[in-house]
Amino acid sequence: MPEDDRALSAAEELALARLAIDEGDLDHAAGHVAGALVQAPTLPEVHEALARLAAADGGGVELFPLNHHAFVGAVVARAHLLAAAGHPGDGLDLLVAATGYAPQTDWAGVPWVTAPELAERLAPEHAARILMQVCAALPDPVPRAGRPALAAYLTLARNAVTVHPEHGLLLGAASALARRVGEVALAIRWASRGVRAQPSKMGEVWLGYAYRSAGRTREALAALGRAVGHDPDDLAVYADIAGTLADTGRLDEALEWIDRALARDPSFDCAVHTAHRLRFQRDGEVAHLVALADFVRDHPDDTHEHGDLAECCRSRPWLGQVTPATGPAVDALRRAVVGDHGDLGDAVRLAAPAPPSALRTVATAVPGLRIEMAGVVEPDAREPRRPGVRPLWRYDGTSVAPAVPAPSSTAAERIRQLVHPAWPHPPAAYDAAVGLATLELADLVGLLAHPPEPPATAVGRVLAGQDPSLWVRCVQVWACLGLLHHRTDEPWDSSTRRRVLLDLVWGVEDWVTEAALFALVTAAWVDPAVRPEVAGVVAERLADAAAVARVRPMPVAASLAHLALATPDLDRETATLAAELIGGGLGVPRPRNPLARLWQRLTAPLRRP
């Protein structure tokens, strides 16, 4: 059901509908009535106009045909007319379809749906199916703001349960709806009646879910255990039991249940996803998440979507988001942007050169703030870490400028539409960056040193107003992910994308170093064949960073350590070194998130309902 592109109010739609009815143009009138229903689906005047249209056409149902791409307003109008013609079950099916399309809209809040007579006319199996279809379109639980739009369905459930008080399937489906809309006590009561009336696996599952929503874990586990007794081959219930145990910290017991499921079917998707998630919760080893990503890639036809990988990666450095920059230059930048100049004065004095991206960001965002350096500490941060790499930056003493041309306006606009500081997991970031595949190499490299201005979106305004450095880092990360999609017909070993990313990794110490290394780590997530090489590159780069950090400040060291811990097949020695760097060893400051509230605002749209 595609969105309608009109923006008329319900009153305007109704006025045009009445004029069309008066002129006998019923097709035109039907379009306006459908538009009014979308704007105000429960407004009495809209239903009066629909009734008048039906009277003029002898029922009016055929004025709202169900085409392949039906307009949601036409679907709802047809539903009401079918009910008026004595087919309320058929009408209810269409209202549920509309709810599945837009659950936040009160499509069903009309008298014929909430009348007790409807429940009397519906077979209990039909009522149960309706409620289950509604539940399938809803998150669990429904956010409080979305619950009023579902009140009519809960009333229907009450009425149906009153008419059929011993129907197990209906009671269970009603319980599922009640649970989702926050009526947990009612959900328990209905589900309990259902399993008493007709003991079944699904009845016990519904009861277990209701208990779990109420925080009554012991009763939830007992009900789910009885469900297994009804059907020992339903391995999804094993995964539910494991998840419930894990939520209460009983990981060992949870994994026992998962192992029981995997012993029956090692490829059962729910068990595999849950097993990897729980093992990661237990020991924090990224290998579990990589194995899960491999399973997802090798089993694209899973029975339903799982969120275990995204849940484990959420808010973790580089697994689910870019890390904020650290160092005195960006600390001064953040204070200046929000107006907290404190003791900054007109200059910030650094003990060693800051990353060139940091210097350029400060110069762009706060042009009046001077960065002064006490001197050069060896090894010189302005020199590449390996000879022969193509320079991205050009130094003139302590000042820095891009050594590559600016990107095209097309490239700048493309990345402005894509950039976000968070992603579900590395393979999802790789997939999202495919939109940059058609950009030229010069554009992708140019974006690294010439980031465009943030867009006038909510994310762009927040980043520009509170931390311009984060916007620059995001651009660099996504540009490097775009490099992974450059000339993918070239074999990896001799590819342009590999050569350019390695040049960036071994260039001068910069935020681009992190972005390029993240792109290589992401390549290892999606392509097992490159894992040995990438793990070796990460190990060498981190060892070099640790050596430098022993003799002078290195702002990117801790972030490189987080990248190492996100790398598939990383050797144990490098993982230990990474943990030491993150913990503040070798003189590297312990990383912190100076923008916790900002992160909460930026990543909120990505959180599960």
Side-chain angles (χ1 to χ4, degrees):
M1 302 178 194
E3 293 282 359
D4 187 38
D5 59 1
R6 293 173 298 176
L8 297 178
S9 68
E12 291 169 324
E13 295 279 19
L14 287 176
L16 293 172
R18 294 183 187 111
L19 286 174
I21 292 173
D22 291 341
E23 295 172 357
D25 188 351
L26 301 187
D27 288 331
H28 193 187
H32 288 296
V33 170
L37 277 168
V38 170
Q39 298 292 338
T42 62
L43 187 69
E45 290 83 353
V46 176
H47 289 270
E48 290 171 6
L50 182 62
R52 183 181 172 195
L53 181 63
D57 187 64
V61 172
E62 297 310 315
L63 291 171
F64 301 95
L66 295 182
N67 300 317
H68 182 61
H69 293 292
F71 174 47
V72 64
V75 172
V76 174
R78 186 180 179 94
H80 295 313
L81 293 176
L82 283 170
H87 305 286
D90 294 338
L92 198 55
D93 288 337
L94 293 180
L95 286 186
V96 172
T99 296
Y101 169 71
Q104 72 282 0
T105 301
D106 187 8
W107 303 111
V110 291
W112 71 265
V113 174
T114 56
E117 293 78 12
L118 175 61
E120 294 172 357
R121 299 178 66 180
L122 287 177
E125 293 80 10
H126 191 168
R129 177 171 57 81
I130 288 295
L131 298 178
M132 287 189 284
Q133 288 175 337
V134 173
C135 289
L138 305 177
D140 186 6
V142 175
R144 194 173 296 275
R147 294 174 186 176
L150 305 165
Y153 291 116
L154 187 61
T155 300
L156 173 63
R158 291 179 188 275
N159 293 339
V161 166
T162 300
V163 175
H164 306 285
E166 302 298 320
H167 196 279
L169 182 65
L170 174 60
L171 286 160
S175 171
L177 177 62
R179 184 181 77 249
R180 282 170 169 79
V181 298
E183 296 285 347
V184 178
L186 181 60
I188 293 173
R189 188 161 65 249
W190 279 344
S192 297
R193 284 172 53 185
V195 296
R196 286 196 303 269
Q198 295 176 317
S200 67
K201 176 193 70 176
M202 278 308 303
E204 295 287 6
V205 169
W206 278 317
L207 180 58
Y209 287 173
Y211 278 133
R212 191 169 63 183
S213 294
R216 295 165 61 175
T217 304
R218 183 177 59 81
E219 292 101 322
L221 290 170
L224 293 173
R226 292 191 296 271
V228 171
H230 281 286
D231 184 2
D233 293 325
D234 188 346
L235 302 185
V237 182
Y238 292 59
D240 286 333
I241 293 174
T244 303
L245 288 165
D247 289 343
T248 59
R250 298 158 64 179
L251 279 177
D252 290 339
E253 294 176 73
L255 285 167
E256 287 176 8
W257 275 94
I258 284 300
D259 289 339
R260 288 174 59 183
L262 293 174
R264 287 175 171 265
D265 182 357
S267 65
F268 179 62
D269 55 344
C270 289
V272 172
H273 282 257
T274 303
H276 287 306
R277 173 171 57 86
L278 296 184
R279 287 172 183 146
F280 177 74
Q281 283 182 229
R282 183 176 60 181
D283 58 30
E285 293 287 343
V286 77
H288 302 306
L289 304 186
V290 176
L292 178 52
D294 289 347
F295 180 85
V296 172
R297 183 187 62 250
D298 296 338
H299 298 79
D301 298 323
D302 278 354
T303 54
H304 61 274
E305 184 178 351
H306 296 82
D308 300 83
L309 183 57
E311 179 182 334
C312 291
C313 291
R314 184 180 298 116
S315 302
R316 294 182 181 271
W318 294 115
L319 290 174
Q321 65 181 45
V322 65
T323 63
T326 60
V330 289
D331 287 344
L333 167 67
R334 292 180 183 123
R335 291 166 58 189
V337 166
V338 299
D340 179 18
H341 292 271
D343 56 355
L344 288 178
D346 295 326
V348 175
R349 190 168 180 82
L350 306 180
S357 291
L359 297 177
R360 293 288 298 174
T361 303
V362 170
T364 301
V366 192
L369 182 63
R370 298 195 320 276
I371 301 293
E372 299 175 352
M373 282 169 273
V376 175
V377 181
E378 295 296 333
D380 192 343
R382 300 169 299 174
E383 295 293 331
R385 297 307 300 152
R386 283 191 176 173
V389 301
R390 300 185 181 185
L392 185 64
W393 304 102
R394 181 176 60 252
Y395 278 93
D396 181 9
T398 57
S399 64
V400 64
V404 294
S408 66
S409 59
T410 299
E413 185 56 33
R414 186 87 57 84
I415 206 161
R416 278 159 53 92
Q417 296 172 1
L418 180 65
V419 163
H420 197 281
W423 44 84
H425 43 73
Y430 174 83
D431 290 343
V434 73
L436 303 174
T438 57
L439 294 183
E440 297 294 333
L441 178 62
D443 278 338
L444 291 167
V445 174
L447 287 166
L448 300 172
H450 301 274
E453 290 294 315
T457 61
V459 171
R461 287 191 293 270
V462 169
L463 293 177
Q466 298 193 35
D467 189 8
S469 71
L470 187 55
W471 165 255
V472 173
R473 287 170 69 77
C474 290
V475 170
Q476 293 170 338
V477 163
W478 287 97
C480 286
L481 289 172
L483 283 168
L484 285 181
H485 294 278
H486 180 71
R487 296 183 184 173
T488 53
D489 58 315
E490 297 179 345
W492 173 257
D493 289 344
S494 58
S495 66
T496 303
R497 59 191 186 280
R498 173 183 175 274
R499 172 182 58 77
V500 172
L501 287 170
L502 287 174
D503 272 3
L504 296 172
V505 164
W506 291 106
V508 299
E509 294 168 14
D510 189 34
W511 300 344
V512 172
T513 308
E514 304 163 66
L517 201 62
F518 174 65
L520 289 175
V521 170
T522 300
W525 272 74
V526 300
D527 184 1
V530 308
R531 286 174 188 170
E533 180 195 14
V534 170
V537 170
V538 170
E540 291 180 49
R541 191 65 188 87
L542 192 67
D544 181 81
V548 172
R550 290 185 175 94
V551 295
R552 65 163 169 79
M554 189 183 183
V556 302
S559 179
L560 292 178
H562 280 297
L563 271 166
L565 295 182
T567 303
D569 296 352
L570 189 73
D571 65 275
R572 180 58 56 186
E573 183 179 351
T574 301
T576 301
L577 175 60
E580 184 179 358
L581 285 166
I582 292 170
L586 304 179
V588 176
R590 184 183 297 273
R592 60 188 180 88
N593 187 349
L595 303 163
R597 290 187 178 180
L598 172 61
W599 273 117
Q600 192 172 25
R601 291 176 61 187
L602 290 174
T603 60
L606 299 179
R607 298 182 186 277
R608 293 195 302 175

